[in-house]
Amino acid sequence: MQGMMMHIPLRIIEILRYAAEAHPGAGIVSVRTEGDIHRETYAEAYQRAAQLAHGLAGIGIAPGDRVATLAWNGYRHFELYYAVSGMGAVCHTINPRLSAEQMLYIIQHAGDRALCVDLTFVPLIEALAEHLPDGLRLILMTDRAHMPESKVDFLCYEELLDGQSTDYDWPVMDENDAAALCYTSGTTGNPKGALYSHRSTVLHAMQLALTIPRSLHEGARILPVVPMFHVNSWGLPYAAPIVGASLVMPGGKLDGASLWDLMEAEQVTASWGVPTVWLGLRAEIGTRGQAPAALDQVVIGGSAAPRSMIEGFEKLGIDVCHAWGMTEMSPVGTHGQLSASMDGLDLKEKIDRKCKQGRRIFGVDLKIVDEHGARLPHDGKAVGELYVRGNAIISGYFNNPEASEAAMDAEGWFGTGDVASIDPHGFLYIQDRAKDLIKSGGEWISSIDLENIAMAHPKVANCAVIALPHPKWDERPLLVVVPKEDKPTLGEIHDMMLEHFAKWQLPDDMVFVDELPLTATGKVSKLTLRERFADHVLPDAG
Ligand code: AMP
């Protein structure tokens, strides 16, 4: 027997229509590439999204077309998210930190019809111009007064909107229609596209809005450091308008001092980003002797949050929510908000919990399996490859049958490539990327665990552990350290590690670097480190 309820397709534009009505005072504050601060309410954004949709339709954009963006976090990027999907087209965010070759590959692969770019990226587009596909319309996200002299024929974003109606007859499409596209850069092979639907995006936004209320609530002011050009800024541009939280968009200035100033000036209550960003903010808090006054929560994800970082924020009274997810998961999969039953834990126990990646959000299922695909218990001890399932998780990659087949198991779960345990409270603990685990004499060593301890050493500013080949043990760990003023000795680091590790697990050697290489998504590039230190000979490996 069927239920007797209406079926109204889930549509992304409904989020903004709702916010415009229900939260008229909330909206978006943006540090503009033009240099000033811009403010608009969700009601204004909704009207401008309508104008933009008319403008895009006017240059021939039709339902199903891919409209790409190459832009920082800002109100025009936000308007594109809604206008493009609202008119039935697909908003394809491009990561400007990709190599030119990868960027050209994904523009081709996605079949983009238009590309909207921030002023910052004019030189990049000029350099790529002759390789861009014929017929790709280029739109510069600025007003007439700021249009630069350029050999490239840019349309002006604000001119597309000028004089257009602030009403748009948003089409009612199938909720499973594609709405947004984001490529994930694997360390091997070409980038692969996660193609989100209206349904998956709206469900993910609602799941997120339910999950992290300390960040996401009416009147909150959230600064997404996590970029709109990758993984949809962790879903914040969709979840914040639902609950009536405002977004404070930092543009391209993501250093500690700029973030501190913006957080203070805009009374930011929560901020989401990757650990590298928080290293900068924490150093700035140290210099100024205080945290931005209203900052109440940071959400850390994208890479493991080191214990020292979590402790540092918590000691300042700033709650840390450690989250885990992937581009392929829209992206949030787990969150580290402690449940009320954990109120009685002391600070150390709370931090122990927060060092893990937290519990699954509603709508995401987790399983860990052994090398034969057999399920492992959630006992906090068994370690296996992590698979996920849910309504906001990809069922395959866009136009890539080979990668799609490799990613899914026989039961239809998606293989994350992460190796993890899950404890009886449901807390996920990511040990490593499968390819970054160190295999020594048939036993595994987690690089993340070693890094976590080394990071707590007062002479270590940042670090990474990689595997180097070893004639006897197959692989052994090498510790790569960015030192503070004084350099630590390997013995000092070993002393700290011995409290937590067996002797055979400790790094065989340590090297110093000025900074760690990062991937386009802000993670430490272990591939680059492995290449750089490929000829390094470990002490007893000669
Ligand atoms: P991306 O698709 O760029 O978001 O990268 C997803 C990958 O980042 C995951 O598969 C993990 O390997 C890693 N990752 C994300 N969040 C965390 C976290 N909190 N701790 C450890 N690794 C993480």
Side-chain angles (χ1 to χ4, degrees):
M1 187 163 48
Q2 293 255 300
M4 289 179 61
M5 305 305 285
M6 294 183 191
H7 178 77
I8 298 169
L10 299 173
R11 286 188 303 167
I12 291 173
I13 193 67
E14 285 301 325
I15 294 177
L16 192 52
R17 188 171 77 85
Y18 169 75
E21 282 176 30
H23 308 295
I28 307 142
V29 179
S30 311
V31 176
R32 299 207 297 174
T33 45
E34 289 92 338
D36 55 355
I37 298 267
H38 175 273
R39 293 169 200 282
E40 78 180 11
T41 63
Y42 287 134
E44 287 161 344
Y46 182 57
Q47 293 191 339
R48 278 174 52 88
Q51 292 183 305
L52 176 58
H54 284 297
L56 291 172
I59 59 165
I61 299 300
D65 284 348
R66 270 75 74 199
V67 176
T69 62
L70 194 60
W72 302 112
N73 292 3
Y75 67 108
R76 293 190 181 109
H77 207 173
F78 179 93
E79 291 160 3
L80 278 157
Y81 266 39
Y82 283 93
V84 171
S85 61
M87 64 192 292
V90 179
C91 182
H92 169 205
T93 51
I94 300 180
N95 184 341
R97 298 188 185 121
L98 293 176
S99 67
E101 194 186 330
Q102 284 178 317
M103 236 179 255
L104 290 170
Y105 169 83
I106 64 175
I107 290 171
Q108 288 283 358
H109 187 269
D112 292 329
R113 295 276 325 275
L115 172 58
C116 307
V117 291
D118 261 342
L119 279 170
T120 324
F121 304 115
V122 169
L124 177 64
I125 295 298
E126 287 174 339
L128 295 183
E130 60 185 289
H131 306 288
L132 292 173
D134 289 343
L136 180 76
R137 306 302 298 265
L138 296 168
I139 301 165
L140 201 52
M141 294 163 68
T142 188
D143 54 22
R144 174 49 53 193
H146 291 89
M147 288 293 285
E149 288 276 324
S150 173
K151 64 173 187 173
V152 175
D153 193 13
F154 283 111
L155 295 167
C156 169
Y157 182 97
E158 290 299 332
E159 282 184 355
L160 279 185
L161 276 75
D162 271 352
Q164 303 283 7
S165 164
T166 52
D167 284 323
Y168 192 89
D169 190 10
W170 303 108
V172 180
M173 65 289 267
D174 185 326
E175 65 180 12
N176 293 307
D177 280 0
L181 176 62
C182 177
Y183 282 74
T184 167
S185 36
T187 40
T188 51
N190 281 319
K192 297 169 285 194
L195 186 60
Y196 312 105
S197 65
H198 282 267
R199 176 183 159 82
S200 69
T201 306
V202 173
L203 288 176
H204 182 263
M206 294 196 295
Q207 290 160 357
L208 200 57
L210 284 174
T211 303
I212 312 186
R214 190 150 176 179
S215 279
L216 281 161
H217 56 83
E218 189 172 7
R221 298 176 67 76
I222 309 177
L223 192 156
V225 187
V226 48
M228 294 178 75
F229 59 67
H230 184 63
V231 290
N232 305 318
S233 203
W234 292 351
L236 282 173
Y238 302 118
I242 296 182
V243 299
S246 291
L247 291 165
V248 179
M249 303 292 210
K253 289 190 185 156
L254 304 175
D255 59 286
S258 304
L259 288 176
W260 198 101
D261 287 339
L262 184 61
M263 287 177 178
E264 185 66 16
E266 294 297 332
Q267 292 296 291
V268 165
T269 55
S271 188
W272 295 25
V274 296
T276 357
V277 167
W278 303 129
L279 284 178
L281 182 72
R282 284 201 51 222
E284 193 61 27
I285 291 174
T287 309
R288 306 210 194 193
Q290 62 190 57
L295 189 63
D296 177 54
Q297 183 175 56
V298 292
V299 175
I300 309 181
S303 302
R307 187 182 187 96
S308 52
M309 179 176 286
I310 298 175
E311 269 169 357
F313 278 121
E314 293 277 341
K315 280 184 187 150
L316 291 166
I318 299 168
D319 181 72
V320 173
C321 175
H322 188 184
W324 166 88
M326 299 183 79
T327 308
E328 290 88 336
M329 301 175 70
S330 296
V332 180
T334 64
H335 71 96
Q337 297 262 129
L338 301 187
S339 59
S341 64
M342 294 167 187
D343 280 352
L345 299 178
D346 65 25
L347 185 65
K348 181 184 167 299
E349 288 168 321
K350 281 189 180 162
I351 296 200
D352 288 346
R353 289 278 159 82
K354 287 179 181 231
C355 288
K356 298 188 172 183
Q357 280 76 2
R359 292 169 295 160
R360 67 191 179 102
I361 68 170
F362 173 68
V364 171
D365 258 329
L366 308 174
K367 70 172 179 183
I368 45 174
V369 301
D370 67 14
E371 63 273 30
H372 309 295
R375 284 199 191 210
L376 294 168
H378 295 187
D379 59 5
K381 295 188 195 100
V383 174
E385 188 169 349
L386 178 63
Y387 280 76
V388 291
R389 189 173 65 171
N391 284 313
I393 295 170
I394 62 160
S395 58
Y397 290 102
F398 176 53
N399 264 348
N400 195 338
E402 233 171 70
S404 302
E405 204 187 317
M408 315 302 296
D409 76 2
E411 294 176 343
W413 293 61
F414 169 74
T416 64
D418 286 341
V419 174
S421 61
I422 301 172
D423 75 17
H425 302 283
F427 276 66
L428 176 74
Y429 184 54
I430 302 281
Q431 310 268 332
D432 238 324
R433 291 293 293 161
K435 61 182 184 326
D436 292 337
L437 267 176
I438 301 154
K439 193 162 198 189
S440 170
E443 298 286 339
W444 297 106
I445 305 174
S446 155
S447 64
I448 295 183
D449 281 349
L450 291 174
E451 288 158 8
N452 227 325
I453 304 297
M455 277 298 282
H457 195 283
K459 294 179 184 167
V460 173
N462 204 354
C463 72
V465 173
I466 54 168
L468 285 190
H470 189 282
K472 180 166 177 203
W473 303 110
D474 277 346
E475 290 180 344
R476 291 294 304 157
L478 171 73
L479 174 63
V480 185
V481 167
V482 180
K484 291 190 178 158
E485 269 127 52
D486 286 342
K487 290 180 175 162
T489 63
L490 187 58
E492 286 170 342
I493 305 262
H494 277 177
D495 287 346
M496 279 183 78
M497 288 180 166
L498 270 174
E499 282 177 44
H500 308 271
F501 291 94
K503 214 165 166 212
W504 66 270
Q505 296 176 309
L506 306 188
D508 284 16
D509 206 357
M510 173 169 64
V511 289
F512 295 108
V513 293
D514 292 336
E515 57 182 13
L516 295 176
L518 297 182
T519 66
T521 57
K523 301 180 208 301
V524 173
S525 174
K526 296 207 171 170
L527 183 73
T528 311
L529 284 176
R530 279 196 292 265
E531 283 167 4
R532 190 186 300 171
F533 293 104
D535 296 332
H536 183 91
V537 181
L538 294 171
D540 69 343

